[in-house]
Amino acid sequence: MASSPISVTFAGFFVILMLLRSSCVYANGCYTSVISFGDSLADTGNLKQLASDYNQVVRFFLPPYGENFFNQSTGRCSNGRLIIDFLAESLGLPLVPPFLQDNGSDNKEAFKHGVNYAVAGATALDPRGIVDPLANTSLVIQLAWFKQSLPSICGNYSNCRNFIGQSLILVGEIGGNDYNYPLLMGKSIEEIESLVPLVIDTIISATNDLIEMGAKSLVVPGNFPIGCSAKYLTFCGSEDEEYDPITGCLIRLNEFAKYHNKLLQAKLNQVQELHPNVNIIYADYYNAAMPIYRFPYKFGFTNGALKACCGGEGRYNVDLSVRCGDASAIVRDEPDTYVSWDGMHLTEAAYRIISKNLFSTPQFNSLCSTSTSGVGLSNSM
Ligand SMILES: *[C@@H]1O[C@H](CO)[C@@H](O)[C@H](O)[C@H]1NC(C)=O
Ligand SMILES: *[C@@H]1O[C@H](CO)[C@@H](O)[C@H](O)[C@H]1NC(C)=O
Ligand SMILES: *[C@@H]1O[C@H](CO)[C@@H](O)[C@H](O)[C@H]1NC(C)=O
Ligand SMILES: *[C@@H]1O[C@H](CO)[C@@H](O)[C@H](O)[C@H]1NC(C)=O
């Protein structure tokens, strides 16, 4: 028997009330801090510190990196802010300080509102064989740093459980480099496909570890459409490759990224089912970025979406022998009109739009926001 219109309305009202209630739980608590793990997509200065400890110069720390927002290179692999910066801003929190740079005597104060363990170049899996100290930064190592540093940041066990529970925890993006290194060494996509389940298991195991330590809100990003990367287009492009007719991106590489993302989501769903009181958000970097590649002009990317702003000559402004940060690199004007910053990493303008797209997805609706920045999370209240 069909229910009467009145009871339908009442049921609808009740659902709305419940939704309001559940989002208020988050809105009232919000987050006191952001804790982050990952690679160059989220590193705010850790590799820079590590390199300086080992007296190495890394081009990501030379001009023009950072020049369009920070007026100096901070160790971020972009001309300005990253997604993690827009996330912190939209949560009303300060930019997340890099653990290695700020790991000093007063960790409690320095990391009160967040701490970032992400290191540019990091892999999810532990590197095998001889390890460059700058590459000894896998997700497992980052988690070890986190566990080790907890007492100095938040004190005793129960305080730390509270600290972790009140934090928004960003687990990635991580895993991209596990594929980048072998791909850019010339391995085929078929060869690296076998890595995907291992990478995903590592991300899931870190997620489970964090939940065990008291995490209540985790954001786990997937991979970008790497077939749209200027570096891959230059390195892997050939007449034999299939290109997407609308975007010009390499289809096989994008399919590979989607495969990683699909597996990650399936495993995250399992974790969510086991922990119904934990909020696990899959951050769909792939689909948040895709509109930019489909309609670059709509977003002001008047140089198209595929050419790098900083680099060399060539169809995609990538020359594998001249890299952004080198003295001989060409730095083009108006970085906001480019999606790709250095061929591999994106410009601040691209990260801003991706953040905006991301924060307006249903997955992010359970996050609260105190944003006034305009990039804000969709349900700011
Ligand atoms: C960078 O310099 C510009 C212009 O001098 C200034 O407006 C801006 O606040 C500076 N940015 C930072 C993060 O210091
Ligand atoms: C952080 O600082 C402490 C105290 O100075 C030091 O013992 C520890 O090794 C540092 N951790 C890392 C990962 O650098
Ligand atoms: C990697 O880092 C870990 C933790 O900091 C350390 O115990 C290990 O010795 C390092 N390994 C290498 C090969 O440097
Ligand atoms: C943890 O430290 C706080 C003070 O920071 C104290 O009030 C609390 O009793 C301590 N808890 C335990 C279990 O030691």
Side-chain angles (χ1 to χ4, degrees):
M1 209 184 85
S3 34
S4 75
I6 288 174
S7 67
V8 168
T9 309
F10 182 74
F13 182 62
F14 187 69
V15 166
I16 288 167
L17 259 187
M18 290 304 286
L19 286 173
L20 278 176
R21 264 181 69 94
S22 68
S23 50
C24 283
V25 171
Y26 292 104
N28 291 339
C30 272
Y31 306 101
T32 53
S33 61
V34 173
I35 300 171
S36 152
F37 304 90
D39 58 23
S40 58
L41 295 189
D43 186 355
T44 52
N46 284 314
L47 182 64
K48 186 174 181 176
Q49 183 61 42
L50 210 51
S52 115
D53 292 349
Y54 287 94
N55 291 315
Q56 293 197 33
V57 176
V58 178
R59 64 196 170 85
F60 301 139
F61 317 140
L62 300 173
Y65 282 90
E67 73 173 12
N68 300 110
F69 182 76
F70 298 99
N71 304 323
Q72 58 175 328
S73 67
T74 57
R76 284 170 176 77
C77 295
S78 180
N79 61 320
R81 284 164 292 181
L82 312 175
I83 295 172
I84 182 176
D85 298 314
F86 290 115
L87 181 67
E89 283 182 4
S90 65
L91 293 171
L93 294 169
L95 301 188
V96 188
F99 170 67
L100 296 178
Q101 229 170 60
D102 291 336
N103 173 34
S105 52
D106 195 10
N107 285 346
K108 276 203 178 71
E109 195 51 39
F111 300 138
K112 195 164 64 176
H113 292 302
V115 49
N116 189 357
Y117 298 86
V119 189
T123 49
L125 301 173
D126 278 323
R128 283 166 214 170
I130 303 158
V131 174
D132 173 350
L134 299 197
N136 189 18
T137 57
S138 68
L139 185 54
V140 173
I141 300 272
Q142 292 178 26
L143 265 179
W145 291 343
F146 175 57
K147 289 177 188 172
Q148 240 172 42
S149 58
L150 274 176
S152 76
I153 296 174
C154 43
N156 62 28
Y157 176 83
S158 61
N159 282 356
C160 284
R161 265 195 99 75
N162 286 339
F163 173 71
I164 296 170
Q166 289 166 11
S167 298
L168 183 65
I169 304 184
L170 193 56
V171 189
E173 177 277 332
I174 186 89
N177 288 324
D178 295 74
Y179 314 131
N180 289 337
Y181 294 139
L183 278 173
L184 293 171
M185 277 166 51
K187 291 240 160 79
S188 71
I189 293 176
E190 290 71 29
E191 278 176 283
I192 62 163
E193 247 159 22
S194 61
L195 288 174
V196 177
L198 303 174
V199 167
I200 303 294
D201 280 351
T202 309
I203 299 171
I204 294 300
S205 141
T207 304
N208 280 324
D209 257 21
L210 289 160
I211 291 172
E212 214 161 277
M213 296 169 77
K216 293 281 177 227
S217 301
L218 301 107
V219 172
V220 187
N223 208 342
F224 271 131
I226 56 172
C228 303
S229 131
K231 184 145 180 191
Y232 276 123
L233 282 161
T234 305
F235 192 82
C236 305
S238 84
E239 282 176 6
D240 301 330
E241 283 292 341
E242 235 188 298
Y243 293 84
D244 182 311
I246 295 171
T247 60
C249 301
L250 291 161
I251 288 180
R252 287 197 316 146
L253 277 168
N254 277 356
E255 287 301 317
F256 176 78
K258 282 199 221 162
Y259 168 55
H260 166 98
N261 291 346
K262 203 172 135 192
L263 212 56
L264 178 60
Q265 283 177 85
K267 293 277 181 172
L268 285 175
N269 286 340
Q270 292 172 5
V271 179
Q272 180 68 82
E273 271 174 31
L274 286 173
H275 302 280
N277 58 339
V278 174
N279 192 12
I280 301 171
I281 295 163
Y282 169 68
D284 193 346
Y285 281 14
Y286 188 103
N287 285 306
M290 227 40 221
I292 290 181
Y293 294 106
R294 292 211 183 93
F295 315 108
Y297 294 90
K298 184 179 145 187
F299 297 102
F301 299 115
T302 50
N303 286 292
L306 304 182
K307 285 178 198 274
C309 178
C310 178
E313 303 284 359
R315 179 160 177 200
Y316 302 103
N317 295 347
V318 171
D319 171 343
L320 298 174
S321 66
V322 183
R323 298 171 312 173
C324 186
D326 290 346
S328 55
I330 303 168
V331 189
R332 290 163 179 89
D333 291 339
E334 300 189 83
D336 286 358
T337 62
Y338 291 86
V339 172
S340 177
W341 167 242
D342 60 4
M344 205 60 175
H345 307 102
L346 308 187
T347 57
E348 176 182 278
Y351 285 138
R352 176 192 285 111
I353 290 166
I354 289 167
S355 302
K356 201 168 182 168
N357 291 346
L358 206 58
F359 301 161
S360 64
T361 58
Q363 289 99 319
F364 272 76
N365 277 345
S366 52
L367 294 183
C368 62
S369 157
T370 54
S371 174
T372 50
S373 70
V375 176
L377 302 171
S378 63
N379 71 333
S380 43
M381 48 176 77

